Amino acid sequence: MIPFYLLLIFLILWHYKDKVLPAIQNFISGTTTRFKYPFWAYLLLPVFGLFLELVGGIPIALVNLIKQLIK
């Protein structure tokens, strides 16, 4: 499902490229935000995304495990 979501994000960004490009240019040119986060915090975002993707499968796995134990 992650490649599908990435494709959808790419299509949305492509559709709104006239609005997205100035925002990216501001980001690259050194505009700062009000909050400063360490670099490692940004590296954790994909890890948390993968974790959230996997957490959705836990209820299904538990139901299948219970069904196997009942048989």
Side-chain angles (χ1 to χ4, degrees):
M1 289 186 69
I2 291 176
F4 178 69
Y5 291 141
L6 291 175
L7 175 67
L8 290 178
I9 290 170
F10 173 76
L11 291 174
I12 291 169
L13 291 176
W14 184 261
H15 181 74
Y16 291 107
K17 66 183 172 195
D18 56 332
K19 295 179 182 179
V20 171
L21 287 177
I24 292 174
Q25 290 171 347
N26 278 341
F27 182 71
I28 292 172
S29 69
T31 304
T32 60
T33 60
R34 188 170 24 165
F35 304 107
K36 300 244 185 230
Y37 296 104
F39 184 73
W40 60 267
Y42 293 106
L43 295 177
L44 287 177
L45 289 175
V47 174
F48 285 129
L50 182 62
F51 174 74
L52 289 174
E53 186 74 25
L54 294 174
V55 166
I58 290 175
I60 297 169
L62 287 175
V63 167
N64 287 335
L65 180 66
I66 292 171
K67 285 181 181 179
Q68 291 296 324
L69 293 174
I70 292 174
K71 286 183 181 181

